[in-house]
Amino acid sequence: MYGVMPIPIPSEARRPNLIGLGRAALAAELAAFGAQPFRARQLWHWIYHRGATDFSAMTSLSKAFREELAAHYALSRPAVSRALTSIDGTRKWLLRFADGQEVETVYIPEEERGTLCVSSQVGCTLSCTFCHTGTQRLVRNLTAAEIVAQIMIARDALGEWPSPSNDRQVTNIVLMGMGEPLFNYDNVAEALKIVMDPEGLAISRRKITLSTAGVVPAIRRCGAEIGVNLAVSLHAVRDELRDRLVPLNRKYPIAELLDACRNYPGASNARRITFEYVMLKGVNDSPADARELVRLLAGIPAKVNLIPFNPWPGAPYECSSQATIAAFSDIVFAAGYSAPVRTPRGRDILAACGQLKSATVRLRKHELEPLSAA
Ligand code: SAH
């Protein structure tokens, strides 16, 4: 008689969360719950197209079914522990997950597009010497649900439900927040499949860019299996220097990394690989560096993104001067590559690389240990 026994109702905290399940996982969950297959499609629509935060809003489902779902499942998003808006319109959310860990998500509105910068890990293991996140301890990978939730929270805050088909605010996603997305490949891939689903969040792979410090074996998989745009944090043109700036280079040196880029599935002149290059005064910013960069990129459908170094307290680098950056950009541009200088955004809300989270952690530490500064 097991078949007719009521399924025990879990306590609130232990109800499984339906947000973050992919299509197959959601279908399997609902099948185990005894619901018909079309119910999974209806729920998918409510969760990822309409952005429902409550089962009671799902008016195409019977009231009794909604109540049953609410008794057994959660639709929970992470808590927004801080939300800031810059004078330039950049918005930033510090999200807190159930275990208390936090990450940041940043929204950068521009004239022609709106880009959401999403995190893939809490902290980072790469220890790039110019990056503030590298000074924070890696705590853990984000789950697929926690990655997807960052986009859903942005849509909540921007009032952008149901998922619009045109005139969107969030047009582009970049995995350039905290963490190395290719060290959390499975969860990132699962999350992006949900994000790209045309009946859900519906953001096309052409509008998604994954940024990596160069985890060579995962680069090919990323191109073949998810097919998003690739950005590579190059930052140096000689192994000896890149070993110091991006220690992962000791494992996957420049030549191997560029080979993986040359063979990246889907790269073409219409879909170029972005090479990110942080401008560090007197370190990697000479005209000879720019000429070597151009030589290295030969044969790769590439564009270059020059990023003025964003200083943080105690950082061992300074940003190159405007004139040096302009001269560098001119050399790359003259060789036929677009080489825009990224404008710093949201400086007043510490929107760069791990800064808001660090400021918050510092503040809390200070509050907890008022005498330690003495
Ligand atoms: N781990 C991934 C994605 C996160 S970093 C990667 O390495 O690509 C996103 C970009 O910001 C990278 O290009 C990174 O090198 C750059 N970055 C990190 N700290 C910076 C700083 N202080 N100033 C300017 N750019 C920085």
Side-chain angles (χ1 to χ4, degrees):
M1 294 298 284
Y2 286 122
V4 294
M5 271 177 60
I7 302 173
I9 295 181
S11 72
E12 175 146 10
R14 296 176 62 192
R15 283 178 213 162
N17 190 11
L18 294 185
I19 291 185
L21 296 187
R23 268 192 190 272
L26 184 63
E29 184 65 46
L30 286 180
F33 189 60
Q36 307 243 21
F38 76 95
R39 295 289 186 205
R41 288 197 297 278
Q42 285 179 314
L43 267 162
W44 182 270
H45 176 85
W46 281 109
I47 295 172
Y48 297 120
H49 180 69
R50 308 285 291 257
T53 52
D54 205 309
F55 291 104
S56 62
M58 301 182 173
T59 47
S60 60
L61 310 179
S62 75
K63 193 156 180 282
F65 185 52
R66 281 184 261 160
E67 282 168 3
E68 255 181 81
L69 286 170
H72 290 90
Y73 294 108
L75 277 182
S76 44
R77 283 141 152 81
V80 178
S81 48
R82 286 183 85 182
L84 297 173
T85 304
S86 159
I87 43 167
D88 69 15
T90 301
R91 300 181 64 162
K92 178 154 184 159
W93 299 279
L94 185 67
L95 305 184
R96 187 183 303 138
F97 302 116
D99 66 352
Q101 294 298 342
E102 293 178 320
V103 295
E104 338 171 323
T105 306
V106 178
Y107 173 67
I108 306 152
E110 289 170 286
E111 244 164 57
E112 297 292 318
R113 61 181 175 194
T115 304
L116 192 70
C117 180
V118 168
S119 295
S120 57
Q121 298 182 310
V122 179
C124 191
T125 50
L126 290 171
S127 305
C128 300
T129 45
F130 55 87
C131 176
H132 201 199
T133 307
T135 66
Q136 298 167 15
R137 210 163 50 88
L138 171 86
V139 186
R140 63 175 175 81
N141 281 334
L142 295 187
T143 63
E146 290 166 340
I147 296 167
V148 172
Q150 295 176 59
I151 296 144
M152 300 179 75
I153 294 263
R155 282 234 172 113
D156 292 346
L158 297 167
E160 198 163 41
W161 297 112
S163 300
S165 49
N166 47 25
D167 286 337
R168 295 177 166 195
Q169 296 179 79
V170 179
T171 57
N172 293 57
I173 305 279
V174 293
L175 280 133
M176 285 186 193
M178 295 168 64
E180 169 49 54
L182 295 186
F183 278 162
N184 186 17
Y185 179 84
D186 290 338
N187 293 345
V188 165
E190 197 182 326
L192 290 183
K193 281 178 193 149
I194 297 174
V195 174
M196 296 187 291
D197 189 291
E199 287 165 35
L201 297 170
I203 298 172
S204 124
R205 65 194 171 86
R206 291 175 182 278
K207 302 279 186 188
I208 301 176
T209 301
L210 182 148
S211 177
T212 179
V215 187
V216 165
I219 288 180
R220 164 160 278 281
R221 271 187 86 188
C222 173
E225 295 171 13
I226 21 185
V228 292
N229 302 314
L230 185 68
V232 171
S233 295
L234 191 63
H235 305 321
V237 292
R238 285 170 287 116
D239 281 322
E240 172 269 318
L241 176 61
R242 195 165 190 270
D243 282 350
R244 274 192 283 138
L245 299 181
V246 182
L248 183 67
N249 193 67
R250 296 177 201 151
K251 194 155 185 202
Y252 306 115
I254 294 174
E256 276 181 40
L257 174 57
L258 294 182
D259 260 354
C261 293
R262 223 167 260 119
N263 298 317
Y264 187 68
S268 67
N269 282 339
R271 284 189 84 197
R272 291 167 188 268
I273 296 174
T274 304
F275 288 87
E276 297 161 278
Y277 198 97
V278 63
M279 299 299 295
L280 304 172
K281 187 184 221 157
V283 174
N284 64 354
D285 60 354
S286 72
D289 288 315
R291 285 191 293 271
E292 179 61 8
L293 175 61
V294 165
R295 202 188 64 76
L296 287 176
L297 296 183
I300 303 176
K303 56 187 174 187
V304 175
N305 213 330
L306 300 177
I307 316 174
F309 170 63
N310 210 326
W312 36 273
Y317 303 103
E318 283 174 73
C319 184
S320 312
S321 72
Q322 274 191 13
T324 304
I325 299 177
F328 196 102
S329 167
D330 286 347
I331 293 171
V332 178
F333 185 75
Y337 298 99
S338 103
V341 180
R342 202 191 283 170
T343 349
R345 296 286 304 259
R347 283 219 157 146
D348 53 331
I349 56 166
L350 300 168
C353 303
Q355 291 188 340
L356 172 65
K357 187 182 168 205
S358 306
T360 310
V361 170
R362 264 200 307 280
L363 191 69
R364 286 198 193 123
K365 233 177 140 181
H366 182 70
E367 283 165 358
L368 288 172
E369 302 162 0
L371 298 176
S372 65

